[in-house]
Amino acid sequence: MPGGDVEEIDAKTLSLAQLAALVAVGGSVSAYCELVDSAISAGASPSETVDLLANLSGIVGWPCVVKAAPSLAMALGYDIEEAMEDSGGRKPDYPPSNPTRVA
């Protein structure tokens, strides 16, 4: 910044910001794997990467989030095929048949 000190962004914040940008523009599973590995190595938890995805919906929109979710899941090592087999091939109850509202 002109006339001021520039503070460096820590590696974890930078990695999560890069992951957020990837969600916004879309990307391959390999790109998600690389950025998730960087974020985890920098101290982010798998939970933080999922929280990031959920919190981006208001910025990039649900279509981007829904499109990114399987790639992020695979990058985190989640086996989507196995999960579907474990559920007997049933789709999740969404929207929930008995939703709960948070006040």
Side-chain angles (χ1 to χ4, degrees), residues 33-97:
C33 288
E34 182 179 333
L35 290 179
V36 166
D37 286 347
S38 292
I40 299 292
S41 294
S45 69
S47 168
E48 286 176 301
T49 63
V50 173
D51 289 346
L52 173 77
L53 187 64
N55 283 296
L56 284 173
S57 64
I59 298 166
V60 300
W62 280 109
C64 284
V65 169
V66 169
K67 183 178 178 185
S71 297
L72 180 62
M74 286 187 268
L76 289 168
Y78 184 75
D79 189 337
I80 296 170
E81 295 295 324
E82 182 179 314
M84 289 303 291
E85 288 173 11
D86 289 348
S87 69
R90 296 183 315 274
K91 292 184 179 178
D93 183 22
Y94 190 83
S97 55

